[in-house]
Amino acid sequence: MALYVQKFGGTSVGSVERIKKVAERVGRYRQQGHDVVVVVSAMSGETNRLIDLAKQIHEEPSPREMDMLVSTGEQVTIALLAMALEQQGTPATSFTGAQVGILTDQAHMKARIKDIAVDQLRARLDQGRVVVVAGFQGVDEQGNITTLGRGGSDTTAVALAAALKADECQIYTDVDGVYTADPRICSAAKRLESITFEEMLELASMGSKVLQIRSVEFAGKYKVPLRVLSSFEDNEGPGTLIIADDEENPSMEEPVISGIAHQTNEAKLTVLGAPDIPGVAAKILGPISDQNIEVDMIVQNVSPDGKSTDFSFTVARGDYKKAEATLQQVVNELGAGKVVGDTAIAKVSLVGVGMRSHAGVASLMFQTLADNGINIRMVSTSEIKISVVIDEKFTELAVRTLHTAFGLDRQD
Amino acid sequence: MALYVQKFGGTSVGSVERIKKVAERVGRYRQQGHDVVVVVSAMSGETNRLIDLAKQIHEEPSPREMDMLVSTGEQVTIALLAMALEQQGTPATSFTGAQVGILTDQAHMKARIKDIAVDQLRARLDQGRVVVVAGFQGVDEQGNITTLGRGGSDTTAVALAAALKADECQIYTDVDGVYTADPRICSAAKRLESITFEEMLELASMGSKVLQIRSVEFAGKYKVPLRVLSSFEDNEGPGTLIIADDEENPSMEEPVISGIAHQTNEAKLTVLGAPDIPGVAAKILGPISDQNIEVDMIVQNVSPDGKSTDFSFTVARGDYKKAEATLQQVVNELGAGKVVGDTAIAKVSLVGVGMRSHAGVASLMFQTLADNGINIRMVSTSEIKISVVIDEKFTELAVRTLHTAFGLDRQD
């Protein structure tokens, strides 16, 4: 018999009916003799309702009071789910983050877990009860309620699984697993049986919004087997298992790449002809960072003449105008260079741990794009990822042709 | 400078606008240099919304989970009120019942306060902050969230005032004080400047729904000056101060009676000709109590023939049918007696500590009723109260004529 930590997000517990469905699913695991800890989010819409109330009162409410406020969302769900479990004959007890003893630092609204006390929780499991824990929240050393930030319920689940040494942490979501590409634009995309933490990290940061990045990092660090499953199917599928990469014993079958991610909500900016002297990158990016603009890809090529260089980076599309104005000032101050930019871009990335040991991934990628008349605007690579920036209009074409070229297409 | 504990109920914090009004009022006290602890209830409607969600899931939810659920109501209000105070420039910190350290017994949904730790709270007051505390809730020794039952926010306020040795506990409500009679049926009714705890207890239990009985008991026990005020007036009136009765130095001006209460939601039941033997009262009331029917007045007269007696009592009107059926069974088992009842009754009560030292209150009461053709069905007395049961149709007439007869009418 195994110990499972199961996490259900806001949509999965979005109504009384859906809470009852979750209780049925959890009850089935319990009936099979497994121990189950359930982590839940606030009912969908509830957190926004609370934030809206706060905004009507204060433009910038104190983070401590925001945490006090929004943490009630999960508290409602845990009580309702415990009731639903008991209604179905499954003994259950709910705990807030503070009651479990999820100790965090004092960074309200974005706290990080420092320690988890599992004694209370284990005692209830030993009594044959399902334990229902409020996700997303904890308590600091002074007893103030903290929250882990949006999506933090995944992190709660993984942290509990690590602390309890659970056999598996199951994240129920509105998709039935991790796909080789977005099925909405690539009909040949297929569900992955498994994927490594590293690949998942690259895919997650790329907009495959299946899991919170922090929870994947956490799971990787503590080697907690993580499974993504759908909470919307009655016939539960196996989902996708996210596991540690066994670098010393790579599988013979390991595919070169695991998936293709794409993102179309970025814009690119370039300073043409910036002086090629030490510190220029910091001079360009410092003011951007001061404006709280997050930068994704950064590309600087060698200076062809040793005097000036072109420096490019991408930002969220909504930040484009602010970034452009900031850069213009920088260029004025530098007394050199010119700002150009483009908002109609897409980023397409190949991800795969297999890439490490295979040459030729980049060349096949570039050749495939070229064969389809797609011009590459920027390139950036990491150990297990190659990203290119292309014109936005080519997004679907690029994803589909790369999916085929790398042998990812579903066979049925 | 004084220390005030101010309590605002659900209607007073029923919307964002009303929460801002409360913040303004609290802020004015703070600006005058007073220390203020604010106790709030859930926004009106919120507790019922939560209970309704629970009922959709479980007919009889576990009391522990109910407390987990409904305690979120006050937690939302404390966060919003703290934000509203800060928005208006008044530093404020909110605390849940558990965070303050309101330790209760384990009786979920009707817990009693055992102890209050005020260190955290005092520390914040010393920093010049307003402290906002969630009413109605506490925590048991195992860390489970408990609630004090409906209306328990008054009790929280009084208990905090006692623990902090506050100068006054101010209960803001939708009336501007305690009246000599219900102004809706007696236009001559006037607001009392002050009233004793004992009188308030008798009035409260009689349906003058100004304050929770338990909070008045508590205030009396710990001699916490309690003031009832309106939260709906912009020009704040003095309300009614509820104080300890100084029996050794009764005021010369002390009126014979302080107020007249009436209640029209009861029904009366009588067992005629019950055998006049020891234990018969228990035989009659035991089964009623087993059905969880609460009994108010109980009257048993001397047995005229030494063999049988008439035994009467009143119950809430909604329990009448169940009580009648139960009594019928009792009579069948006793093999004697007959059940009669009446639902169209009213209870009218005179309350006053002055009554203790004045003969003739009862006779003036009975004479006044007789002069107006009102027949008395039952009589019951306590040290500071006389209650009569009359036909419901005479309620207003009885209250008004008694109000005049006892010199309570407003003089303007």
Side-chain angles (χ1 to χ4, degrees):
Chain A
M1 293 305 104
L3 167 57
Y4 292 115
V5 175
Q6 304 187 319
K7 182 259 169 179
F8 295 88
T11 321
S12 304
V13 293
S15 67
V16 163
E17 284 62 43
R18 294 206 51 80
I19 288 173
K20 288 178 183 174
K21 288 264 180 211
V22 168
E24 282 169 23
R25 186 181 291 263
V26 172
R28 283 200 295 275
Y29 274 84
R30 188 74 202 99
Q31 276 151 33
Q32 287 161 24
H34 302 300
D35 284 333
V36 188
V37 174
V38 189
V39 175
V40 286
S41 304
M43 294 169 77
S44 57
E46 179 64 5
T47 305
N48 286 335
R49 182 183 77 87
L50 293 168
I51 290 172
D52 184 55
L53 280 174
K55 294 287 178 197
Q56 287 177 48
I57 284 177
H58 200 306
E59 270 182 43
E60 262 187 84
S62 113
R64 181 188 183 278
E65 299 302 336
M66 278 306 280
D67 282 352
M68 180 69 91
L69 181 69
V70 298
S71 62
T72 62
E74 292 77 35
Q75 192 172 328
V76 167
T77 318
I78 57 172
L80 293 178
L81 180 56
M83 289 174 192
L85 283 162
E86 299 232 307
Q87 220 283 326
Q88 292 170 17
T90 307
T93 304
S94 69
F95 287 108
T96 63
Q99 286 176 331
V100 170
I102 297 181
L103 187 71
T104 72
D105 58 21
Q106 302 188 326
H108 283 290
M109 298 174 74
K110 51 181 187 218
R112 289 189 169 257
I113 296 174
K114 291 169 71 177
D115 194 22
I116 296 190
V118 292
D119 297 357
Q120 279 245 48
L121 216 149
R122 263 204 203 286
R124 300 297 177 135
L125 289 175
D126 291 347
Q127 290 165 16
R129 305 182 78 83
V130 167
V131 175
V132 185
V133 178
F136 169 74
Q137 58 180 245
V139 67
D140 71 12
E141 270 165 11
Q142 276 69 53
N144 297 303
I145 295 172
T146 54
T147 67
L148 311 179
R150 285 242 161 177
S153 291
D154 287 359
T155 308
T156 304
V158 172
L160 277 172
L164 288 162
K165 302 193 192 345
D167 294 282
E168 207 169 278
C169 180
Q170 303 181 332
I171 309 286
Y172 287 85
T173 169
D174 54 358
V175 297
D176 67 346
V178 180
Y179 276 73
T180 49
D182 185 340
R184 283 170 303 184
I185 70 164
C186 178
S187 60
K190 61 187 178 196
R191 185 179 52 76
L192 291 160
E193 291 287 321
S194 70
I195 186 172
T196 69
F197 291 115
E198 293 81 0
E199 288 169 330
M200 190 62 205
L201 277 180
E202 295 288 7
L203 286 170
S205 63
M206 212 64 73
S208 292
K209 287 167 202 140
V210 177
L211 286 177
Q212 278 300 105
I213 296 185
R214 273 172 63 191
S215 65
V216 178
E217 283 174 354
F218 222 84
K221 187 170 167 194
Y222 291 99
K223 306 249 187 290
V224 175
L226 200 60
R227 190 180 289 277
V228 177
L229 299 143
S230 167
S231 67
F232 285 81
E233 295 170 293
D234 275 336
N235 267 326
E236 200 172 307
T240 298
L241 185 65
I242 307 167
I243 45 169
D245 176 28
D246 190 349
E247 288 187 39
E248 289 174 13
N249 298 297
S251 159
M252 289 293 287
E253 321 295 327
E254 194 169 79
V256 178
I257 78 159
S258 294
I260 302 173
H262 70 278
Q263 213 166 358
T264 53
N265 56 354
E266 296 197 354
K268 95 177 152 65
L269 285 147
T270 302
V271 179
L272 293 172
D276 188 20
I277 48 173
V280 72
K283 278 213 176 72
I284 291 171
L285 284 185
I288 295 288
S289 160
D290 292 345
Q291 296 281 320
N292 281 318
I293 299 169
E294 285 199 24
V295 170
D296 180 20
M297 280 174 85
I298 301 173
V299 176
Q300 185 188 352
N301 213 334
V302 291
S303 168
D305 58 2
K307 284 180 188 159
S308 72
T309 184
D310 302 335
F311 187 92
S312 297
F313 58 94
T314 63
V315 297
R317 210 169 274 183
D319 287 333
Y320 178 72
K321 276 200 187 307
K322 196 160 68 162
E324 194 190 22
T326 307
L327 272 197
Q328 200 56 62
Q329 269 196 311
V330 171
V331 164
N332 293 347
E333 280 163 27
L334 286 175
K338 185 175 169 236
V339 179
V340 295
D342 190 355
T343 57
I345 60 158
K347 187 169 73 169
V348 175
S349 307
L350 300 185
V351 174
V353 291
M355 203 181 281
R356 277 198 289 246
S357 48
H358 284 74
V361 170
S363 65
L364 176 57
M365 182 184 199
F366 300 159
Q367 188 60 50
T368 305
L369 294 172
D371 290 348
N372 288 278
I374 302 170
N375 202 4
I376 297 169
R377 307 291 178 188
M378 282 169 78
V379 178
S380 158
T381 61
S382 80
E383 206 182 355
I384 63 165
K385 182 182 72 173
I386 303 178
S387 297
V388 296
V389 168
I390 57 174
D391 290 350
E392 187 178 12
K393 63 183 174 191
F394 294 127
T395 313
E396 289 84 353
L397 180 63
V399 172
R400 284 186 209 125
T401 52
L402 289 170
H403 202 266
T404 306
F406 281 90
L408 293 172
D409 286 1
R410 214 172 43 215
Q411 298 305 312
D412 58 39
Chain B
M1 293 304 104
L3 167 57
Y4 293 115
V5 175
Q6 305 187 318
K7 182 258 169 177
F8 294 89
T11 321
S12 305
V13 293
S15 67
V16 163
E17 283 62 42
R18 294 207 51 80
I19 288 172
K20 288 179 181 172
K21 288 264 179 212
V22 168
E24 282 168 24
R25 186 180 291 264
V26 171
R28 283 200 295 274
Y29 275 84
R30 189 73 202 98
Q31 276 151 31
Q32 288 160 24
H34 302 300
D35 283 332
V36 188
V37 174
V38 189
V39 175
V40 287
S41 305
M43 294 169 77
S44 58
E46 179 63 5
T47 305
N48 286 335
R49 182 184 77 87
L50 293 168
I51 291 172
D52 184 56
L53 280 175
K55 295 288 177 194
Q56 287 177 49
I57 284 176
H58 200 305
E59 270 182 45
E60 263 186 85
S62 115
R64 180 188 183 279
E65 299 303 336
M66 277 306 280
D67 283 351
M68 179 69 92
L69 181 69
V70 298
S71 61
T72 61
E74 291 76 36
Q75 192 173 329
V76 167
T77 319
I78 56 172
L80 294 178
L81 180 56
M83 291 173 191
L85 282 162
E86 300 233 306
Q87 220 283 325
Q88 292 170 18
T90 307
T93 304
S94 70
F95 286 108
T96 64
Q99 285 176 331
V100 171
I102 298 182
L103 187 71
T104 72
D105 58 22
Q106 302 188 324
H108 283 291
M109 297 173 77
K110 52 179 188 221
R112 289 188 169 257
I113 296 174
K114 291 168 71 177
D115 195 22
I116 296 190
V118 291
D119 297 357
Q120 279 246 47
L121 217 148
R122 263 204 203 285
R124 299 296 178 138
L125 289 175
D126 291 346
Q127 290 166 16
R129 304 182 79 82
V130 168
V131 175
V132 185
V133 178
F136 168 74
Q137 58 182 243
V139 66
D140 71 12
E141 271 164 9
Q142 276 70 55
N144 297 302
I145 295 172
T146 53
T147 67
L148 311 178
R150 285 242 160 177
S153 292
D154 287 359
T155 308
T156 303
V158 172
L160 277 172
L164 288 163
K165 303 196 194 338
D167 294 281
E168 206 169 279
C169 180
Q170 303 181 332
I171 309 284
Y172 287 84
T173 169
D174 54 358
V175 297
D176 67 347
V178 181
Y179 275 73
T180 48
D182 185 341
R184 283 171 304 185
I185 70 164
C186 178
S187 59
K190 61 186 177 198
R191 185 180 51 76
L192 291 160
E193 291 286 322
S194 70
I195 186 173
T196 69
F197 290 116
E198 295 80 0
E199 290 168 330
M200 191 62 206
L201 277 181
E202 295 288 8
L203 286 170
S205 63
M206 213 64 73
S208 292
K209 287 166 202 144
V210 177
L211 287 176
Q212 279 298 108
I213 297 184
R214 274 172 61 191
S215 65
V216 178
E217 283 174 353
F218 223 84
K221 188 170 167 194
Y222 291 100
K223 307 250 186 288
V224 175
L226 201 59
R227 190 180 290 277
V228 176
L229 299 144
S230 167
S231 68
F232 284 82
E233 295 169 293
D234 275 335
N235 268 325
E236 201 172 305
T240 298
L241 186 65
I242 307 167
I243 46 170
D245 177 26
D246 190 349
E247 288 186 40
E248 290 175 14
N249 297 299
S251 158
M252 289 293 288
E253 321 296 325
E254 194 169 78
V256 177
I257 78 161
S258 295
I260 302 175
H262 70 278
Q263 213 166 357
T264 53
N265 57 355
E266 296 199 353
K268 94 176 153 68
L269 285 148
T270 302
V271 179
L272 294 172
D276 188 19
I277 48 172
V280 73
K283 278 213 177 72
I284 290 170
L285 285 184
I288 295 288
S289 159
D290 292 345
Q291 296 282 318
N292 282 318
I293 299 170
E294 285 199 24
V295 170
D296 179 19
M297 281 173 85
I298 302 173
V299 175
Q300 184 187 354
N301 213 334
V302 291
S303 169
D305 57 1
K307 284 178 186 160
S308 73
T309 184
D310 302 334
F311 186 93
S312 295
F313 58 93
T314 63
V315 296
R317 212 169 272 184
D319 286 334
Y320 178 74
K321 276 201 187 307
K322 195 160 69 162
E324 194 190 23
T326 308
L327 273 196
Q328 200 56 63
Q329 269 196 312
V330 170
V331 164
N332 292 347
E333 280 163 25
L334 286 174
K338 187 176 168 233
V339 179
V340 295
D342 189 355
T343 57
I345 61 158
K347 187 169 72 169
V348 174
S349 306
L350 301 185
V351 174
V353 292
M355 202 180 284
R356 276 198 291 245
S357 48
H358 285 73
V361 171
S363 64
L364 177 56
M365 182 184 200
F366 300 160
Q367 188 60 49
T368 305
L369 294 173
D371 289 348
N372 287 280
I374 302 170
N375 203 5
I376 298 169
R377 306 293 178 188
M378 282 167 80
V379 178
S380 158
T381 61
S382 79
E383 206 183 355
I384 62 165
K385 183 182 71 175
I386 304 179
S387 298
V388 296
V389 168
I390 58 174
D391 290 351
E392 187 177 11
K393 64 183 174 191
F394 294 127
T395 313
E396 290 84 353
L397 181 62
V399 171
R400 284 186 208 125
T401 52
L402 288 170
H403 201 265
T404 306
F406 280 90
L408 294 172
D409 286 1
R410 212 172 44 212
Q411 297 305 314
D412 59 38

